[in-house]
Amino acid sequence: MPTNALTEASASGQAPQPQPGSEPRHGSPGPVGGGFLDPRMLWKSLPDALRKLDPRTMAKNPVMFVVEIGSVLTTWQAIAHPSVFAWVITVWLWLTVVFANLAEAVAEGRGKAQAATLRKAKTTTVARRIASWSPGQAGPESEVAGTDLQLGDHVVVEAGQIIPGDGDVVEGVASVDESAITGESAPVIRESGGDRSAVTGGTKVLSDRIVVKITSKPGETFIDRMITLVEGANRQKTPNEMALNVLLASLTVVFLLAVVTLQPMATWAGAAQTLVVMVALLVALIPTTIGALLSAIGIAGMDRLVQRNVLAMSGRAVEAAGDINTLLLDKTGTITLGNRQAGEFVPVTGVESGVLADAAQLSSLADETPEGRSIVVLAKTAYGLRERHSGELSGAEFVPFTAQTRMSGVNLQDGHEVRKGAGSAVMRWVRDNGGHPTDEVGALVDGISAAGGTPLVVAEKTPDGVARTLGVIHLKDVVKEGIRERFAELRSMGIKTVMITGDNPLTAKAIAAEAGVDDFLAEATPEDKMALIKKEQEGGKLVAMTGDGTNDAPALAQADVGVAMNTGTSAAKEAGNMVDLDSNPTKLIEIVEIGKQLLITRGALTTFSIANDVAKYFAIIPAMFAVVYPGLHVLNIMGLHSPKSAITSAIIFNALIIIGLIPLALRGVRYRPSSASALLRRNLLIYGAGGLALPFAGIKLIDLIVQFIPGLK
Amino acid sequence: MSDTWAGVLQVVALVLLLAVSYRPLGDYMAHLLTTRKHLRAEKALYKTMGADPEADQTWGVYLRSVLAISAVGVLLLYGLLRVQHHLMMALGMPKMQADLAYNTAASFVTNTNWQNYYGENTLGYVAQATGLAVQNFVSASVGIAVVATLIRGFTRSKTDRLGNFWVDLTRIIVRLMLPLSIVFAIVLMAGGVVQSLGDHMTVVHTINGDQRLYTGATASQEVIKELGTNGGGIFDGNSSHPFENPNGFTNLIEIYLLLVIAFALPRTFGKMVGSHKQGYTIVSVMAVIWLGSLAFATFAETHHHGVNLVTGHAGLEGKESRFGIPASALFMTSTTLTSTGAVNSTHDSYTPFGGGAAMFNMMLGEIAPGGTGSGLYGMLILAVVTVFIAGLMVGRTPEYLGKKIRPTEMKYAALYILTTPAIVLVFAGIAMALPGETARMTNSGPHGFSEVLYAFTSMGNNNGSAFAGLGGDTTWWNTAGALAMMFGRFLPMVWVLALAGSLARQKPVPESSGTLKTASPLFAGMLLGTVLLVVGLTYFPALSLGPLAEGLH
């Protein structure tokens, strides 16, 4: 398992955890997890939390701003008319504000730690700029600072040097250490032309020499963008967050009016309340819980993606991921394993299948490709042929595969020869050796091709010198284990999966059926993909896709969520709104789940926050008015000790619940893919019914303690 | 037959009548709001008005049309009341005072029908029939037009055109209100409601000598008073007066009339959005609130504190003995849960919890089933808020009927749920802070406060019923009341139409299994919970100083 720079960076604040990003987690679609909360993190974030008390910062969060104003008012009252009660309320109101800021500071703290690690990678480099470079010829070299590079400059980088800026390789091949960005320690190959030409500033060339054309302006490199993103410096509120803010602000105004207009009514009844009590009532009623945690939830959502090595260019994209209706998934690597495997040995008439299997195994003993290994494995599992070791066949000569012969095989000491390879090449070999392949072989080959498989023809030449074809090996695409269940879950979430493949329609259909995708796009060209995305969007659907090549760029830009692979071209990375540093296309499914989890967390805590108010009323209203209207004692169903202890308990509960829910806000609520109704029923039960019941118990418990404070009797 | 059994049978009969009319009336309203065909009479009317019936309006133009006809309505009615002594059949009534005329004009144009005057001692026949009755028709129809526009916001896509106000209004009056009113006016007359354009009727040989009795065109006005959820009676006694509501039969018909349109509109909604289940979900929430509130009020009225009060039939105080407690509670619940405000008993005399229920009913925002049109749009706005919270909990951007609830939509929905509580609480708070105005209460203690809270709850929510103890005919009360009624009527309409405009511009989102099902018992339960929680939390402190303080021992 590779080390992961990004997660390591935040490890100071969290316990080690598995790295879900580095391996496709097929077969185990567990709940989307998150980091843990270390109490030390709270302590470390305290200075930041206090700095956020600045009214200019607080004003961005209307709910907590009201609490801060209330705290100032009660402080003034507590100084003017000191009493234990006034001071206890004042202290806890300030704590409420600080706790809210703490939630945000802790969430931001993780990002800051990650940004610090990234900054280390952004050391000042000296670039070797080439004047007027064109293929085959280069002008004179000059040394400039990496930050002075302009768009379109050409630089040369050699083994041991740091690449000074983002760009595309235009000449040469090199192995590059990208661990500074991806956390993956194994070097990757970057070469001119094709889809693996992009290099990132701050990464290190390990071997060879490349010429890079700079594609980013100074200060706008990939690393710069990553730093800004993980720090959340210019975090924009997402649409759902804004809508929720509107709702919370209006509830705050309603409760503000309810409390302000209560005073003349209470005065008339002979129960005028002190300013401290009125502020306490207001703070207890306005939705402080969700107001305090809202921005932490959003920051933590982005953070969860970063922990999975996905960089979202905006929170909007993360939220859109939760709304996705259609997922376009590349077949290879996402739905099927990257390599084909032997599925069947098909002998020609007159040859026993055991003979074919034996020959196939012989010819593959020295073939270390996954396909070759799978032939040996199939021979063993289907025909019980023990794997022969090279030593058993003394004097055997292995014929390696070459692009010219398109065959591989073995020549045994006794003159027995076996070949396997592409149909035309093997048949030519048979004819050259005096054999007469029948039409049957051609039919078998065509049949396998039509079914989406890759046929490998096997032939032998006996020691007496006559060659004959034995049969065909059927190499199949292997659908990943567990992916079918994953798609079924997606379907229950209302998400349609479309498999994108270059295969012919017949093959595509067979694999689509086996994998359980809803639809497929065969012989897909970039234009087809684009048309499919537009068609889906026309019907109001949101589409997500992954891509890496330059020709994917338009589709990535058109898709609502476009995840570019880090191994891809700069054009693709520029076009998408997310980059997967692990370049693992399966991750798209996790991204969707994280988007959903983010929204669910907001909704659940909003419901919880509003439901909490019921218990607070039962604590505060009798405390305020039972003096003049003794009948209202009936409402004190919690049996709270005294009016002052009741109000204090409600306020303390209100503050502590924020601290108590910070881990949940950062981690996100538990999420398992299921239908909307099942999700709603579950969350309503936990956060709605729980939100009603919990504060009754909590306030009562706190009251049992605070009743012993002398001034609250 | 005991009162209780009569009450139960009355409820059963009412539910049956409403159930029978749900489909045909709902479908008929959907038809008249969507058909492209105009009646010949309507074409003539459009020509007279100078309106182009084929023009499709944006929400802004639609709103300006609503406001224009309402402004003209207030001015005309105000003028009429100020010069009524010059009109025919004035019965010798003097002109109305300026502040009272202003209050009355605002009251009838806003579908409130708060009456700071004694009908039979104040108004002549022309003022009644051409002033108040006309506004009874128009204000009720405007409400239906506005909700039709909101529904079009859901059904239309990628357009800024939402229909034509003049066509909607004309059709609702010509094809719905007038025919129903004519039929049921005859039914009411047959039941014994008076109808006359003659002068006072003189009854001789009473203990106090001769008595002059006002009769008036009562049946014709009674029918639209209920059908249009208006509530302003010819008589001060309103539906407790034997000329307006002589017996159990007319009582049942009147309750049926004030509920029938509002309860059938969810069908219209379901039909227009193409899913009757959506309509059933909404109507079930309305029905549960109505039946729950009815059970609570009936229980409160029949269970006084102490044996003496129960055996002494204290619950009958302020109620007509010809209706009894259950039928009075039924009328009270229905009139306060719609924006009608007609009464067949004195709400002031109810038990603290019974009167508190009346207040809470109105505080719900007149949504179960609410006023004609206004009830449904209020409920749909709360559905939008519910969808928003519930939608987040299923992990998607919330959507209702294929339209997303984005910041813009949320803004209008939030303003809607904010407006009425703000009006009610601010005006009640101001009144309580003014010693001169609190002196208008006839009771002290929590019951006195309840009178004030009730008054602004009723006016802000455009109900119009009163806790009769309050003497509201002063300049301050007339002015503040008129403002509360107009803000309470037209600000919400602004938000509703703006929301409709914003919804109509959207592209619809296809439904999938990941979409929140808004036609389901689970959603209905959540909508019910949201309604009760939001309203309960808003008004609980104020209620604790009124009905709760009075009723809890």
Side-chain angles (χ1 to χ4, degrees), chain B residues 169-204:
Chain B
L169 181 72
T170 309
R171 286 181 179 180
I172 294 162
I173 294 177
V174 171
R175 301 195 200 179
L176 179 71
M177 293 296 184
L178 278 174
L180 282 179
S181 295
I182 292 167
V183 170
F184 280 97
I186 295 168
V187 172
L188 285 178
M189 276 190 271
V193 178
V194 301
Q195 177 79 6
S196 148
L197 287 177
D199 204 342
H200 289 92
M201 194 163 75
T202 306
V203 184
V204 288

Side-chain angles (χ1 to χ4, degrees), chain B residues 319-336:
Chain B
K319 300 184 181 71
E320 284 291 308
S321 58
R322 67 179 188 281
F323 302 131
I325 291 176
S328 300
L330 176 60
F331 200 111
M332 180 278 273
T333 304
S334 305
T335 196
T336 49

Side-chain angles (χ1 to χ4, degrees), chain A residues 165-504:
Chain A
D166 296 355
D168 284 321
V169 179
V170 288
E171 184 185 299
V173 185
S175 63
V176 179
D177 172 12
E178 293 195 338
S179 61
I181 294 171
T182 61
E184 173 73 53
S185 57
V188 293
I189 301 296
R190 292 286 177 259
E191 59 189 341
S192 63
D195 286 345
R196 291 181 187 262
S197 61
V199 287
T200 311
T203 57
K204 192 175 177 183
V205 173
L206 294 179
S207 70
D208 302 293
R209 172 186 184 275
I210 46 173
V211 175
V212 175
K213 182 183 179 189
I214 298 298
T215 55
S216 67
K217 286 188 208 150
E220 289 175 24
T221 62
F222 190 64
I223 284 207
D224 288 316
R225 284 203 333 232
M226 270 179 82
I227 292 173
T228 325
L229 282 170
V230 295
E231 270 191 328
N234 44 10
R235 201 176 76 85
Q236 303 265 311
K237 283 201 173 97
T238 58
N240 279 314
E241 201 177 347
M242 281 192 278
L244 186 51
N245 257 318
V246 168
L247 179 68
L248 297 181
S250 81
L251 286 176
T252 305
V253 173
V254 168
F255 289 129
L256 184 67
L257 287 172
V259 170
V260 170
T261 58
L262 187 60
Q263 184 70 335
M265 302 175 190
T267 310
W268 185 83
Q273 299 295 315
T274 62
L275 185 60
V276 175
V277 171
M278 286 313 231
V279 170
L281 175 64
L282 176 63
V283 171
L285 294 185
I286 59 177
T288 47
T289 314
I290 180 66
L293 298 173
L294 190 54
S295 69
I297 294 170
I299 297 169
M302 296 282 275
D303 191 55
R304 274 200 294 285
L305 277 181
V306 173
Q307 284 172 38
R308 280 167 181 69
N309 267 356
V310 176
L311 288 183
M313 298 305 159
S314 70
R316 208 176 263 264
V318 185
E319 231 176 55
D323 287 346
I324 288 302
N325 302 86
T326 308
L327 279 183
L328 305 192
L329 298 167
D330 283 329
K331 183 197 79 179
T332 309
T334 310
I335 296 170
T336 62
L337 296 173
N339 303 294
R340 298 182 159 204
Q341 296 195 349
E344 199 185 352
F345 298 124
V346 190
V348 294
T349 321
V351 175
E352 278 191 34
S353 59
V355 174
L356 170 62
D358 188 59
Q361 188 225 39
L362 263 179
S363 68
S364 304
L365 285 176
D367 184 352
E368 289 299 331
T369 62
E371 287 88 352
R373 299 310 302 156
S374 76
I375 292 170
V376 176
V377 168
L378 182 69
K380 186 174 177 181
T381 53
Y383 297 92
L385 294 174
R386 187 178 57 84
E387 182 177 351
R388 281 172 282 202
H389 295 286
S390 319
E392 289 177 50
L393 305 161
S394 56
E397 179 202 347
F398 290 100
V399 181
F401 177 87
T402 66
Q404 282 75 39
T405 61
R406 296 197 293 147
M407 289 189 301
S408 62
V410 63
N411 297 335
L412 298 180
Q413 214 171 18
D414 59 1
H416 190 197
E417 293 181 17
V418 183
R419 292 290 182 276
K420 76 163 199 290
S424 54
V426 175
M427 288 206 271
R428 192 180 320 115
W429 179 80
V430 171
R431 276 191 215 99
D432 290 350
N433 287 286
H436 302 284
T438 58
D439 288 344
E440 192 192 353
V441 180
L444 285 177
V445 166
D446 290 346
I448 290 171
S449 296
T454 304
L456 287 182
V457 177
V458 181
E460 67 167 0
K461 192 175 87 174
T462 46
D464 49 28
V466 180
R468 61 165 181 163
T469 48
L470 297 172
V472 187
I473 305 169
H474 185 169
L475 288 182
K476 283 180 169 174
D477 263 318
V478 179
V479 170
K480 282 184 179 178
E481 207 183 321
I483 200 82
R484 201 183 166 86
E485 290 71 33
R486 203 90 192 250
F487 290 146
E489 280 174 6
L490 287 171
R491 203 168 303 120
S492 75
M493 288 152 69
I495 296 170
K496 179 176 137 187
T497 44
V498 181
M499 181 181 83
I500 307 289
T501 172
D503 295 340
N504 64 54

Side-chain angles (χ1 to χ4, degrees), chain B residues 62-279:
Chain B
Y62 203 99
L63 173 66
R64 282 200 289 281
S65 310
V66 169
L67 294 180
I69 197 166
S70 304
V72 169
V74 171
L75 289 175
L76 280 180
L77 185 52
Y78 176 82
L80 202 62
L81 295 171
R82 297 284 287 156
V83 301
Q84 73 146 337
H85 52 291
H86 298 305
L87 302 173
M88 307 189 301
M89 292 189 282
L91 308 179
M93 307 284 186
K95 68 175 180 184
M96 223 184 226
Q97 289 306 308
D99 58 332
L100 182 59
Y102 168 56
N103 183 280
T104 306
S107 172
F108 278 76
V109 170
T110 58
N111 198 246
T112 312
N113 299 30
W114 177 271
Q115 292 165 295
N116 267 342
Y117 58 88
Y118 297 92
E120 57 267 53
N121 299 341
T122 314
L123 293 172
Y125 291 156
V126 173
Q128 287 276 16
T130 64
L132 304 187
V134 166
Q135 288 310 322
N136 281 350
F137 275 97
V138 174
S139 66
S141 305
V142 165
I144 299 176
V146 170
V147 81
T149 312
L150 178 59
I151 298 171
R152 287 185 196 121
F154 285 109
T155 57
R156 295 188 182 184
S157 295
K158 294 195 265 182
T159 177
D160 59 351
R161 303 291 152 162
L162 288 162
N164 184 316
F165 173 71
W166 306 109
V167 171
D168 290 339
L169 181 72
T170 309
R171 286 181 179 180
I172 294 162
I173 294 177
V174 171
R175 301 195 200 179
L176 179 71
M177 293 296 184
L178 278 174
L180 282 179
S181 295
I182 292 167
V183 170
F184 280 97
I186 295 168
V187 172
L188 285 178
M189 276 190 271
V193 178
V194 301
Q195 177 79 6
S196 148
L197 287 177
D199 204 342
H200 289 92
M201 194 163 75
T202 306
V203 184
V204 288
H205 303 310
T206 62
I207 296 166
N208 299 321
D210 291 356
Q211 218 178 359
R212 294 181 72 227
L213 294 180
Y214 185 96
T215 50
T218 306
S220 57
Q221 202 158 331
E222 189 70 15
V223 69
I224 191 63
K225 174 188 109 180
E226 315 292 6
L227 185 67
T229 60
N230 291 291
I234 296 259
F235 297 90
D236 185 55
N238 209 302
S239 285
S240 63
H241 194 290
F243 285 3
E244 282 199 23
N245 190 7
N247 50 47
F249 170 73
T250 55
N251 195 53
L252 181 66
I253 293 297
E254 288 184 15
I255 300 173
Y256 168 72
L257 285 176
L258 64 88
L259 292 169
V260 65
I261 290 182
F263 262 129
L265 273 169
R267 172 76 184 187
T268 310
F269 162 70
K271 177 118 186 157
M272 284 172 77
V273 302
S275 159
H276 289 308
K277 278 188 178 173
Q278 299 286 354

Side-chain angles (χ1 to χ4, degrees), chain B residues 348-365:
Chain B
D348 197 24
S349 298
Y350 274 62
T351 60
F353 288 135
M359 243 187 277
F360 192 76
N361 287 345
M362 294 186 285
M363 287 167 175
L364 291 172

Side-chain angles (χ1 to χ4, degrees), chain A residues 28-167:
Chain A
S28 59
V32 184
F36 297 94
L37 181 73
D38 187 328
R40 277 175 304 169
M41 197 74 185
L42 288 176
W43 184 246
K44 264 170 48 186
S45 306
L46 194 58
D48 272 339
L50 293 175
R51 256 193 298 279
K52 285 171 187 285
L53 288 174
D54 184 336
R56 284 165 299 184
T57 317
M58 292 298 299
K60 287 178 198 154
N61 182 343
V63 179
M64 294 320 292
F65 189 49
V66 168
V67 181
E68 188 176 41
I69 294 173
S71 310
V72 172
L73 289 176
T74 52
T75 310
W76 166 54
Q77 281 295 298
I79 293 168
H81 312 284
S83 72
V84 175
F85 175 68
W87 276 111
V88 169
I89 294 292
T90 304
V91 167
W92 279 97
L93 288 184
W94 279 113
L95 283 176
T96 310
V97 187
V98 172
F99 290 167
N101 290 346
L102 206 50
E104 194 179 88
V106 169
E108 285 172 351
R110 300 170 154 208
K112 281 190 181 140
Q114 286 152 5
T117 318
L118 284 171
R119 281 216 173 81
K120 279 187 209 145
K122 225 188 115 192
T123 44
T124 6
T125 46
V126 175
R128 294 161 58 192
R129 187 164 64 190
I130 314 173
S132 62
W133 181 92
S134 63
Q137 48 176 288
E141 254 183 56
S142 58
E143 295 210 334
V144 295
T147 49
D148 288 343
L149 286 174
Q150 295 302 317
L151 268 178
D153 281 354
H154 289 87
V155 292
V156 62
V157 193
E158 282 182 318
Q161 292 178 335
I162 303 278
I163 298 171
D166 296 355

